[in-house]
Structure formats: structure tokens, C-alpha cells
Amino acid sequence: SRYRLHVVDINGFAGKEASPLQAESYLDAIRDEIVNYITAEALDKPIIAGHSMGGLLSLMIGAAESDLVGKLIIVDALPFYSLLFNPLATSEQIEPFARGMETQFLNMSTEQFALQSRGSAAILTKDPSKVDVLVDWSTTSDRATYGRVMRELMTYDSREALVTITCPVVVVYAYDEAMPVTQDRIDTLYQTAYVNLALTEFVRIDESYHFIMWDQPDHFQSVMAATLATGP
């Protein structure tokens, strides 16, 4: 009742029809569409919150048009996704692997893709009731769009562009003892990845996998409420 909420749906995902247009960069195209929306609706310094790929897109919007944005809330997302696998990774190193994954996704049968999606979902949330939701979102997505965006996501490095973001940024990230890394390593990973940001607050939420809003809803909502209450 206190906020006006704009929910972004992305063509080609979770049952939405894929776009007939093929942009040179799908992520850049989404960024530009959201920037155009902010301008067309004359939104006054909106707070942009994004989870996972949405977090990267939020950073991209802030880097491109920082004057339009009041604040960014980044939820379990890094400015360069592949740092999760290798803290010394570069886009050039990751490109062949990312293209191989895209090809693999395209060549999977429906049954193989569903099985792969279920395996991935099990390590994305601790809530078993949400696994079927994630599998449904994946299997009702356009496979070509899914693979294309995964490739772009793995190779898009926005770390250098972070210096152009002038609005405050709150980075919320998850940690759980079941993860194959230590708590200190997770903290260091995020703080190092965002070193080029001037106004950053880090909030770690424990006992959670990637979908923090499902695994620790009360803690997540309290962080969101406090962040929104302070305004842009």
C-alpha cells in the first residue's frame, strides 16, 4: 500500500512468447527497454530491485543512466557471473565454454532439459515446494532464448562500468553451510567484485540458497522494507 510496483516480464521466459527480433545483445536490449520505460513513464528516481540476471540488468541500467535511478537493490547477483566459477575469469576465457553450454541446451531433448532443470533447481532453493515452480519456469521458456541469455550472462563483465554508478547500491547475497565455499570466501567474493562501486552496502542472509526471498522470506522482507523506507 506504500509503494507503486512495476514488475518486469522478459520475453521468452516462463511461458512468455519469445521476441521475433534478434538483438545483437539480448541483455543490452532489455536494459534499453527498461530505461525507455522509466523515461516514458516519467518515473522520478525509481528504486530498481533485481534478482540474479535481474541484478546484473539493474547494474547495467545504473551504469548507463545513473541519473535516472534513485537506488539499486541487487539480490544474489555479481557484476560478472562467471566469478562464481573462477575469481580470475575473463570474458574471453569463458566465451568458448558459454557457447558450448548454449549448444548443449539447444540439443537436449525435452526430457533431458527437464531433468537438468530439476537438478539445478535443487541447489537454488532450500524449499522443496518451490522446485516444481522453477522447473516449470525453465521448461516453459523458449529454449533458444534461454541458451542465448545464459551465454550472455556468463560472459558479460560489468565491473569496470560500476564506476559510473552514482546512486546508492544495496547488495543482498546468500550463504549456507551446505555451499562448497566458506562464509569468508563468499564475503570476499562479493566485496572484491563490487570494489568499483562508491556507495555500497552489503547484506548477507544466512541459511539460504540463491532464492533468498523463498528460503528466508522474513529476513529478506525486513531488508527490503528498511531499504525502501530510506528512499532514493
Side-chain angles (χ1 to χ4, degrees), residues 4 21 23 35 49 69 72 84 96 109 122 138 189 203 215:
R4 181 184 179 195
L21 304 176
V35 168
V69 181
L72 300 176
L84 286 171
S109 67
S138 294
L189 173 65
V203 181
D215 292 354

Side-chain angles (χ1 to χ4, degrees), residues 35-101:
V35 168
N36 290 341
Y37 178 79
I38 293 171
T39 303
E41 293 293 311
L43 303 183
D44 183 18
K45 297 283 186 180
I47 296 174
I48 302 180
H51 170 250
S52 196
M53 180 179 76
L56 175 61
L57 284 166
S58 300
L59 292 171
M60 292 167 63
I61 294 166
E65 300 288 349
S66 198
D67 290 345
L68 290 180
V69 181
K71 181 183 289 184
L72 300 176
I73 305 174
I74 311 300
V75 184
D76 219 52
L78 290 165
F80 181 28
Y81 174 80
S82 291
L83 295 175
L84 286 171
F85 312 115
N86 179 1
L88 301 177
T90 66
S91 295
E92 292 75 20
Q93 290 172 340
I94 296 297
E95 178 75 24
F97 178 71
R99 286 192 177 276
M101 285 198 65

Side-chain angles (χ1 to χ4, degrees), residues 166-184:
T166 57
C167 66
V169 181
V170 178
V171 179
V172 184
Y173 62 100
Y175 177 72
D176 189 84
E177 291 182 351
M179 294 178 178
V181 293
T182 64
Q183 176 182 300
D184 287 344

